[in-house]
Each structure stands twice: as C-alpha cells, then as structure tokens.
Amino acid sequence: MSFFEAFLNWNVFVQTLPLLISGLTITISLGLCAIVLGLAGGMLLALLRLYGPTPLRQIATAYIDIFRAVPLLVLLVVVYYALPFVGLRFTPFTSATLALSIVSAAYSAEIFRAGIEGVPKGQFEAARALGLNAFRRMSDVILPQAIKLVIPPITSNSINVFKDTALASVVAMPDLLKQATQAQALAANPTPLISAALIYIALLLPLVRLVGIFERRLAAKGR
Amino acid sequence: MAAIIDMKAVTKNFGGFRALDGIDLQVAEGEIVVIVGPSGSGKSTLIRCINQLEEHDSGTIKVDGHVLQKGADLNAIRTELGMVFQSFNLFPHLSVLRNVALAPVRVRGLSWPEAEARARKLLERVGLKDQIEKYPAKLSGGQQQRVGIARALAMEPKVLLFDEPTSSLDPEMVGEVLDVMQQLAKTGVTMIVVTHEMGFARKVADRVIFMDAGRVVEQGLPETLFDAPCDERLKSFLNAVLSH
C-alpha cells in the first residue's frame, strides 16, 4: 500500500466521513459542556477559597488540591466503572462531562484565584469605601478586571479540556476518536484516524494562536 | 456642637508597630480639618479607621452616631463617608461617567439615567465635562483625581475623607485638584484632609491637627499652629516642610 492509499485514501475518507461527523458533534458538545461547567465550578471554588467561611474554605482548598493530583483518565474510569457498584450509574456522556468538569474546575479555580489576587489592593479599597456590598464589589469591580487578566491561561485550560475529551473514548463514548478507530477497523485503513487528527488540529490551532495574541496584548499593556 | 466623627482612645497596631496611640478627635458637622505630620505618624491610618478600611484595635469610633463595631452595617456607614485616595483607585474597566455613576446605582438604588445625570453634573463641576466617555487610563493624574473626587461626591456623603490626594501628582497638577477641594470646602460638607500642602491647610482649614508617633500632638487654628507652634516636634516639622 502506498503512503497515499494508506493514510490519505479519498474513498475511505468519503465513506467514513458521516461517522466522523457524528463523533465530532459529540466531541464538541462534550467539550463545551465540560468547559462551561468547569469555569462555573472553578469561579465558585476560587471565591470560596478566598472568601468562604473557614470550613468551606478548607473544603475548597482540599478539592482543588485533590483534583489537580488525580489523573483524569483514572477519575473517568472510577466514575464510569466503579460508581455503578454503589448504585451511581451514569451514561458515558454524563460520566465524561463529570470527570472533565470536576478536574477543570480545580485548575480554573487556581487561575481565577491568581486573577483576583492580581487586582490591585486599591481597587478593593475603593469599592469598599463606596459602600458596595460584597457581591457588588466582586461583580462590578473585581471580577471584570480579574477575568481580563486571566483570559490567556483560561483559554489555554479550555483547550486542554477540549483535547482531553478524547479520553472519553475509553468509556465507550462515540466521540471523534472512538468513531475514527471504529471507522479504521471497518475500512481496514488508517485514513479516518489521520482525518480525526487533522480535525482536532483544525479546531484547536486557531485557539492556540489566539492565546498567544491575548498574551502579547496583555504584555503590551504592561500589567 | 454635634460631632459627626467622634473618636475616643483609638489605638491601632500593625504587628509590633503602634500606628495610632490613643486618638481622641471630634469633628463637627461642616468642619474642615486638615491633618499634617511626618510620614509614619499615623495620619492615613487615622482616616482609614474612620471608614474601617483599617479596623482599630481598641477605643470607640462613632460616625454620625453609629458606633463602628462588629456587626455594624459598615456598608451603610461607608455611604456617608466619601473617600479620595492618594493613588486615585479609579476603576480602569469603566468609563469616567460609569466610575462616578456606579455606586449611586448599586448602593443608593438610582436608575442608570438618574445616576449618569448626577455624574455629568459633578464631572462638570470638577471641570471634566469633555472627558466623560474616556477611560481613566487616558486621563492625566490631576484629571483622574478630580474624577475620584466626583466619584466620592456622587454618593452625597456627609463627610469627605482625603488621603494625601495630591501626593502622587506631578507638581503642575496639584493646583487643579486643590482648587476643586477649595470649592468643595465652601459648600458646607465636612472634610478631613491628610496632606502635605501647608498652603491649602492655611487657606482652607478650620482646624489643623499635627500628629506624630500615632498621637495628636497639637491642634488649633491654622494661623496659631503655623505661626506660633508650641511643640518642639511641630516646630522642627514646620521648619523641614516650609524651609524650601
């Protein structure tokens, strides 16, 4: 088999494309769900860690440390294969969304915390001196500045979450990678795998570039 | 004479450093008090205790009759205390207009159009009518500080606290900020001003307070304090400040 017949076989590509597209939709919905839930959870954890009452603050700190130490694949396998033994049975999609967003929340929390701590002390003081309550101080003064500071690392983290959706293929999730391996087996040709790899790159490369642009823009502002 | 600010035996420590060492101070409604003193004498700490940006360790502070203590509604008390900072502390992500209008909307419950109308008037009063759509970073230091004053005024506070409002300004911008403050002094609002601008103190103050090592060392009318100082520390301070 020539290189082109093996890796870039047009007929195989066309035949397996519908399968890949169905996988791609699942990958994208899984990625988006996990990113959104991870960001929301991360913000909540960061605020609890910084301003929560003592027991909640300790719980948030423990959560953040533990889920940055657990390998994602291990967590995914635990959620999907171990939890059913205690009666918690999730679909592959739910399991993958859970595992991804649990871990992503831990990382996002640390990023948001760094952002909040990067806002100058005078901003907190001005907000307090005006009589704004704690919620308004955060929502109107601190968080808009903090989030701006952490757009590059948050985008980076979201790219990682999106890439890690491929791990979901181990819990029988028919995502892009799973469908590609399936298609490879059916066609007895690796073209679908190459196609899948190219699709991942086409989706994420622009985002990777965007992080660089954000970082340069922020550096130019000198903060 | 009703004291709007009433401090009794107030102390504040930072680690082992005694920043305030038994402060007794009453400020009457409408009074303009200027606090001077060498750096580290506790001037800034004193006014930061009044709006509880620093919590005092002992003694009592009353603002308009409300005792500042655990459980007090600090946010409500702070709405009566406008503060102007040395480093302006404008909100960089909001336009000048929004900087001034934000707190009236979020704290006083005004609608945005109402608050923006109020903000426009105040910004006009401090001479910034043409800058309202700009962001703070586009303004000079003097302009930023005038926005800071407008922002404090927008809450219609009973007392204005100024924490070295001209200390981080280039010399040529000090005058424009002092002018605004001098105009304000005529409106009858209570002002407590920490500053090194002795000329301003002499012209505007009803009472000048000299602090050193966390205590009020001497106080009185500006002419008495500047022209006939009693305390040795005040004499050497005035020598150092006025000799050049």
Side-chain angles (χ1 to χ4, degrees), chain A residues 3-26:
Chain A
F3 176 84
F4 278 100
E5 267 175 81
F7 292 123
L8 301 168
N9 191 312
W10 181 251
N11 285 334
V12 173
F13 175 73
V14 171
Q15 268 170 20
T16 55
L17 192 60
L19 210 54
L20 292 185
I21 287 175
S22 84
L24 179 62
T25 16
I26 289 178

Side-chain angles (χ1 to χ4, degrees), chain B residues 2 4-5 27-33 80 82 157-162 184-185 187-193 206:
Chain B
I4 193 155
I5 305 290
V27 177
E29 211 161 340
E31 198 180 5
I32 314 292
V33 173
E80 304 303 335
K158 293 187 173 145
V159 181
L160 284 168
L161 307 170
F162 292 84
L184 273 179
T187 64
V189 68
T190 312
M191 290 168 64
I192 303 177
V193 184
D206 296 318

Side-chain angles (χ1 to χ4, degrees), chain A residues 85-187:
Chain A
F85 284 86
V86 292
L88 285 170
R89 209 171 296 274
F90 300 118
T91 64
F93 188 88
T94 311
S95 307
T97 306
L98 266 181
L100 280 165
S101 45
I102 284 171
V103 169
S104 162
Y107 282 99
S108 311
E110 283 300 87
I111 296 171
F112 284 132
R113 181 170 71 104
I116 291 168
E117 287 175 344
V119 175
K121 206 173 119 244
Q123 294 292 310
F124 291 82
E125 291 188 344
R128 277 201 287 161
L130 284 169
L132 294 168
N133 63 34
F135 175 76
R136 286 299 177 194
R137 295 200 290 266
M138 276 296 137
S139 71
D140 290 6
V141 177
I142 304 305
L143 291 184
Q145 298 182 60
I147 289 170
K148 212 168 169 188
L149 285 175
V150 298
I151 285 175
I154 279 295
T155 314
S156 245
N157 186 57
S158 300
I159 292 170
N160 282 334
V161 173
F162 199 89
K163 287 196 289 187
D164 287 342
T165 57
L167 289 173
S169 55
V170 303
V171 293
M173 240 276 299
D175 73 327
L176 179 55
L177 178 61
K178 185 75 180 175
Q179 297 295 41
T181 45
Q182 209 93 291
Q184 179 200 18
L186 284 174

Side-chain angles (χ1 to χ4, degrees), chain A residues 121-123 125-134 136-137 140-141 144-145 223, chain B residues 48 51-53 75 78 81 83 85 89-93 102-103 106-107 151 155:
Chain A
K121 206 173 119 244
Q123 294 292 310
E125 291 188 344
R128 277 201 287 161
L130 284 169
L132 294 168
N133 63 34
R136 286 299 177 194
R137 295 200 290 266
D140 290 6
V141 177
Q145 298 182 60
R223 335 187 15 175
Chain B
R48 289 163 59 85
N51 68 354
Q52 294 286 286
L53 287 184
N75 290 331
R78 283 173 179 145
L81 300 165
M83 184 150 194
F85 296 88
N89 297 346
L90 298 183
F91 305 133
H93 61 296
L102 178 70
R106 299 304 194 210
V107 182
R151 181 175 68 177
M155 291 296 286

Side-chain angles (χ1 to χ4, degrees), chain B residues 11 21 31 33-34 50 71 93 96 106 112 114 130 135 148 171 198 202 210 219 223 228 238:
Chain B
T11 67
D21 190 11
E31 198 180 5
V33 173
V34 171
I50 294 174
H93 61 296
V96 164
R106 299 304 194 210
W112 280 109
E114 286 168 341
D130 303 327
Y135 283 79
M198 298 302 153
R202 194 183 272 272
F210 173 68
Q219 55 178 315
E223 45 274 25
L238 290 174

Side-chain angles (χ1 to χ4, degrees), chain B residues 203-215:
Chain B
K203 248 188 290 177
V204 178
D206 296 318
R207 175 161 49 130
V208 177
I209 290 176
F210 173 68
M211 282 185 71
D212 190 37
R215 291 166 179 270

